[in-house]
Amino acid sequence: MNLEELKKLKEKAQRQVALREGNKKYRVVVSMGTSGIAAGARDVMKTMLDEIEKRGLDDVEVRVTGEHGLEDVEPVIRIEEAGGEETTYARLDAEKAKKIVAEHLGKGKKVENLAVGKQKKTE
Amino acid sequence: MIRSNVLVCGGAGCLSSGCHAVQDALKQELTKRGLDKEINIVVTGCMGPCDLGPVILVHPDGTFYQRVTALDVPALVEEHFIKGRAYAKLLPKDEVSANLITTQRDFGFFAKQEKIVLANCGLIDAENIEEYIARDGYAALGTVLTTKKPADVIAEIKLSGLRGRGGAGFPTGVKWELLAKAPATPKFLICNADEGDPGAFMNRAVLEGDPHAVLEGMIIGGYATGASRGFIYIRAEYPLAIKRLQIAIDQAYQHGLLGKNLFETDFSFDIEMRIGAGAFVCGEETALMRSIEGRRGQPSPRPPFPAQRGLWGKPTNINNVETWATVPAIIRKGANWYNQFGTEKTKGTKVFALAGKIRNTGLVEVPYGTTLRQIIFGIGGGIPGGKKFKAVQTGGPSGGVIPAEHLDTPVEYESLQKLGSIMGSGGMVVMDEDSCMVDVARFFLEFCCDESCGKCPPCRVGTKQILNILERICAGEGQMEDLDKLEQLAAVVKDASLCGLGQTAPNPVQTTLRYFRAEYEAHIKEKRCPAKVCRGLLTYTIHYDNCVGCSICARNCPTNTILKVKGQKKYYIIEDDCIQCGACLDVCKFNAILKASDGVAHVVPPKPELEPVPGRKVMVTA
């Protein structure tokens, strides 16, 4: 093994442990309450996970949470950015989820027509 | 994509409390619910809070669950992974506010620690070299081999202030330099993993949780000192550490990180394991080397020091597991980063194993200079059951007890020595008001007496004589002159013994005499044991007001010394025949058995007329 090979191996292996180190740029929080699940939140999440992997986006973590209080527009996800900005997307399906991964997480461009409201974190 | 890692602690503590079953149940449940492609189970080394095991840690949320059983798993998966909320039943609770703690970093046990040696323990899969590499593993080795001269490495270690973690605290850089300057070849390195102190398990945790750090440290040491082979001397009582270490060594060879021409340089290094049979004296370096050579593990006088004539007569350097595991971090982050931790004289951090009467039994890593109070009460959570702290034994059987008035002592080599104890390898056995200090001294002396190799008379004969006196005192047969004899004997054994075992064995006696002399005097003069531990000085009587006559004590008495009071539903203990085993106290549900140690003031209750225990076919002597 030489330094170059070690570096390559490290880059490859880092994805396995990165989740344990925290501090990702994007955090996708999927609303997984009863109504979210009923409306297809699991499909949305699965699609997103596949899509994130396919595109090799490393700076993203996906979590699940309970209801956001937006039962009538489920499935809902919230994307939190390292800077503190949050965007909530509603009425999602697999296709829309793919688009959000490509645009928001891939290029850093919000998908305005799918977003609902807009909140700023206070801290 | 994997969205979550479930870290299941696979340290020896959690293994024995059943983490395998939890891991299997998790795997099954995640597969059943189709989550196995999103959630990854990783078995790690020890996370530290062994008493709370089996423990698991879920990332990226950082949720810590304690005392998980296989039966909890379906509900946990449902709550945490499907519904996205923490499973409250298994969360730790804040001791003050009683609030649930949802993330690991808010848990006082973890929050107050500084992890350098244990940084990867409980975070990576110890059986997978890639996870170690992902955490910058072997990067220090690569840098050293390709860009640094051996002398630079030694200079860096010297600057870091790293001192040997085996107990004596000798500066590691100086030790390496001695080996580097030795003219003879080949040179050898040894990793001392013969952790024999009762109550100490930090080396085991490092070897089980992050074996590659030890290997990397040794290879770097080999380059710096010009050694070509390393041996890891590990005790047979650590089967899991042996297994994981062997896997790590094999993987390092497969990846070209051990063997010939490392990192395409001329430097080659080999490491192999040697398994010891668990003799305490083999932790002493000269005895350890003889054991590696295949001879009887007995120490020999120094000089010659191992750096001059060590293993097979060749220059050798021995360091402790923790010392080796610290080396890669120092090289990676720099000596100046490392020496900001700790005190003026002692730099860096130290892993301590908390055991005994303490709430959070387990492993903690703190900077030197942290006080005993912070370690025992801040991180360790204090004494369970509302009992009072009495003393802490540091440094295992060769250490000494430190009483409550010195709890605010900052922990470092010199300060502990001043108190008559030693740092040792980092075991801390906490004792509460129920511990008898004479008995504690007797216990540790018995250990050292057993483990004495017998080569030099001061240790072989001296420890036995000290033990005899202590046993006599515990049995209530001590004389006041015995205390002077103990002091004399202790001084002689300490001065005249050949190796560290004998030189430190009297420490428990000397410190208990120094801080708890009154307890010795109570045993001798008043024939009582204030902590009610020493059997020979106890009496058991039955409290008639509480006794309901259920006969359970009488039926459990192994010597048939409890009989029924004639015509009454009461029982009576014949004190002359009682062996003070305490079986009656353990089984009585009505608080009717009184354990006392009144000594000379004891009054035997008047003996009533007795009759046999109904239904118990025994000879009645009364």
Side-chain angles (χ1 to χ4, degrees), chain A residues 1-3 5-6 9-10 12-22 27 32-34 37 42 45-46 48-50 52-53 57 60-66, chain B residues 1-5 7 34-35 38 42 59-61 80-84 123-125 128 130-131 133-139 142-143 146 255-257 263-264:
Chain A
M1 167 143 357
N2 58 33
L3 273 181
E5 286 163 9
L6 183 70
L9 188 57
K10 184 192 161 179
K12 185 185 137 230
Q14 217 161 15
R15 298 186 68 177
Q16 291 174 27
V17 299
L19 266 178
R20 299 167 221 170
E21 291 166 339
R27 176 188 293 172
M32 205 63 90
T34 308
I37 296 172
R42 279 210 58 81
M45 184 176 74
K46 268 193 188 152
M48 291 190 81
L49 291 173
D50 290 346
I52 291 167
E53 177 151 48
L57 303 174
V60 181
E61 66 175 51
V62 179
R63 299 190 183 190
V64 294
T65 183
Chain B
M1 177 185 136
I2 300 294
R3 71 174 161 101
S4 184
N5 283 168
L7 310 187
L35 298 170
E38 330 173 346
V42 184
H59 277 298
D61 321 46
H80 195 114
F81 297 108
I82 307 272
K83 293 182 180 164
L123 190 86
I124 62 168
D125 178 355
N128 185 348
E130 291 188 5
E131 297 211 345
I133 289 173
R135 299 271 299 165
D136 275 329
Y138 291 108
T143 320
T146 52
H255 284 78
L257 295 161
F263 285 91
E264 297 169 353

Side-chain angles (χ1 to χ4, degrees), chain A residues 35 39 68-77 88-92 116:
Chain A
S35 52
H68 275 124
L70 299 165
E71 283 84 347
D72 57 334
V73 290
E74 295 276 9
V76 171
I77 66 164
T88 305
Y89 293 107
R91 294 198 182 91
L92 298 179
V116 289

Side-chain angles (χ1 to χ4, degrees), chain B residues 305-512:
Chain B
F305 287 97
Q308 300 151 344
R309 272 177 50 200
L311 204 54
W312 290 294
K314 299 295 179 188
T316 306
N317 176 57
I318 303 183
N319 280 124
N320 174 267
V321 171
E322 211 180 320
T323 318
W324 290 121
T326 313
V327 170
I330 294 176
I331 300 292
R332 212 161 52 229
K333 298 186 177 173
N336 287 321
W337 164 82
Y338 189 75
N339 64 26
Q340 64 174 330
F341 298 101
T343 63
E344 181 80 44
K345 280 191 181 154
T346 311
K347 305 295 183 192
T349 58
K350 175 82 191 84
V351 184
F352 291 100
L354 299 180
K357 308 283 183 63
I358 188 159
R359 199 170 273 139
N360 301 333
T361 306
L363 275 192
V364 302
E365 183 173 355
V366 291
Y368 280 107
T370 308
T371 63
L372 285 166
R373 189 185 299 280
Q374 282 168 319
I375 296 173
I376 295 166
F377 289 89
I379 300 170
I383 318 292
K387 295 275 168 79
K388 246 175 67 189
F389 171 86
K390 188 170 198 177
V392 55
Q393 169 95 9
T394 65
S398 341
V401 296
I402 298 174
E405 64 256 37
H406 293 298
L407 265 180
D408 289 310
T409 309
V411 176
E412 56 173 337
Y413 294 94
E414 285 75 17
S415 62
L416 293 188
Q417 220 153 32
K418 248 184 238 159
L419 296 176
S421 184
I422 59 167
M423 174 78 74
S425 53
M428 281 195 185
V429 182
V430 179
M431 295 167 239
D432 68 3
E433 52 190 297
D434 291 342
S435 311
C436 167
M437 298 328 259
V438 185
D439 184 62
V440 164
R442 187 200 55 78
F443 171 81
F444 284 121
L445 247 297
E446 191 178 15
F447 180 85
C448 287
C449 183
D450 267 358
E451 294 292 341
S452 173
C453 75
K455 183 168 178 174
C456 72
C459 176
R460 182 184 69 229
V461 182
T463 52
K464 181 65 186 164
Q465 291 308 322
I466 297 178
L467 180 63
N468 281 347
I469 297 180
L470 290 173
E471 280 175 346
R472 232 171 33 228
I473 298 176
C474 286
E477 292 154 11
Q479 308 287 326
M480 280 310 280
E481 299 90 76
D482 283 341
L483 298 187
D484 299 331
K485 274 191 213 152
L486 275 181
E487 271 167 355
Q488 278 174 7
L489 271 169
V492 170
V493 172
K494 212 167 181 172
D495 279 349
S497 290
L498 176 59
C499 81
L501 197 159
Q503 287 160 11
T504 55
N507 278 343
V509 182
Q510 288 183 318
T511 49
T512 46

Side-chain angles (χ1 to χ4, degrees), chain B residues 154-236:
Chain B
I154 292 179
E156 189 83 4
I157 297 296
K158 270 179 148 178
L159 179 66
S160 74
L162 178 66
R163 297 172 68 171
R165 296 297 192 250
F170 193 79
T172 306
V174 176
K175 213 169 172 181
W176 286 17
E177 200 169 39
L178 288 173
L179 183 67
K181 283 185 179 156
T185 50
K187 298 173 186 178
F188 299 115
L189 294 185
I190 295 174
C191 170
N192 184 349
D194 189 62
E195 187 177 44
D197 300 7
F201 44 93
M202 44 279 146
N203 292 349
R204 189 192 70 204
V206 172
L207 290 167
E208 285 172 6
D210 198 13
H212 285 287
V214 179
L215 300 184
E216 189 181 359
M218 287 183 78
I219 307 169
I220 292 172
Y223 176 72
T225 58
S228 54
R229 275 175 84 184
F231 294 92
I232 300 177
Y233 186 80
I234 185 169
R235 56 208 314 257

Side-chain angles (χ1 to χ4, degrees), chain B residues 544-567:
Chain B
Y544 282 173
D545 292 349
N546 289 359
C547 181
V548 298
C550 70
S551 84
I552 190 166
C553 55
R555 282 183 283 114
N556 281 280
C557 179
T559 52
N560 303 313
T561 41
I562 304 182
L563 294 175
K564 193 168 174 296
V565 179
K566 194 165 187 184

